[in-house]
Amino acid sequence: TSLPALLQSLRSHTINTLPALRRTERLVASLPASTPNKAEIAKALHDAWIYYVDYHSLLNELRGLTKTYPFSESCLEEAKRGVSKGSGNYCYGVLKRVKDHGLIPTHARALAAKPVMWGGRKPSSSEVQKLAGACEAEWTRVLTIVLRHWEG
């Protein structure tokens, strides 16, 4: 792939999955400092990560991995509010905030307590606890898998 084509792909959001963005990030990091337009490509990559998170691609990817209990949008939204878009990898920051601030249990309990999850009726505390545990287990498993993209 030529660098102008890479730049265009980033700007047009055709590189739009977590694995593809991580591959691109590693490629850009490996470019020599003297590479023409490296700063412009790095900025386009930074903006692509923000787009990926803010326009629900991250949420959709997480939900694709959590088929039984779709990942909580409110959990991601809370994490996004605590992460600066200006420095580092925004997606990684959001995912790390979910993990490091223990947001999954809170949002799993909130979801499990909603009557809509129980056909409109108010669930018992043991039902809420059981469903929250199942959501928490599935979401935590997927978060761990997704965070592995930044290992090594």
Side-chain angles (χ1 to χ4, degrees):
T1 301
S2 71
L3 295 181
L6 176 63
L7 187 58
Q8 179 57 33
S9 293
L10 288 168
R11 288 179 174 158
S12 65
H13 310 294
T14 55
I15 299 174
N16 60 8
T17 65
L18 193 141
L21 284 164
R22 280 294 293 143
R23 276 191 303 275
T24 303
E25 190 171 55
R26 286 189 294 274
L27 172 74
V28 171
S30 73
L31 294 173
S34 61
T35 301
N37 301 328
K38 183 174 181 176
E40 188 179 359
I41 294 167
K43 169 76 168 93
L45 178 60
H46 178 81
D47 293 346
W49 276 116
I50 292 170
Y51 185 88
Y52 172 78
V53 173
D54 283 352
Y55 291 93
H56 302 294
S57 297
L58 173 60
L59 177 63
N60 290 336
E61 214 158 325
L62 290 171
R63 285 185 168 174
L65 297 169
T66 55
K67 297 199 185 294
T68 307
Y69 304 104
F71 200 90
S72 169
E73 181 176 4
S74 62
C75 183
L76 275 186
E77 290 299 321
E78 181 177 341
K80 285 164 44 175
R81 286 190 294 273
V83 176
S84 169
K85 293 179 184 179
S87 62
N89 183 303
Y90 181 54
C91 182
Y92 179 73
V94 168
L95 294 169
K96 280 293 284 177
R97 186 167 180 86
V98 169
K99 180 182 178 190
D100 295 347
H101 285 81
L103 300 182
I104 286 177
T106 302
H107 289 274
R109 278 191 303 278
L111 178 68
K114 290 182 177 181
V116 70
M117 297 299 292
W118 301 94
R121 70 173 176 80
K122 186 176 191 238
S124 69
S125 61
S126 66
E127 288 173 323
V128 169
Q129 185 177 1
K130 184 176 179 183
L131 180 56
C135 291
E136 185 176 340
E138 185 171 22
W139 299 350
T140 300
R141 177 187 60 78
V142 165
L143 181 65
T144 301
I145 290 168
V146 170
L147 281 169
R148 285 189 191 134
H149 284 281
W150 281 274
E151 292 177 1

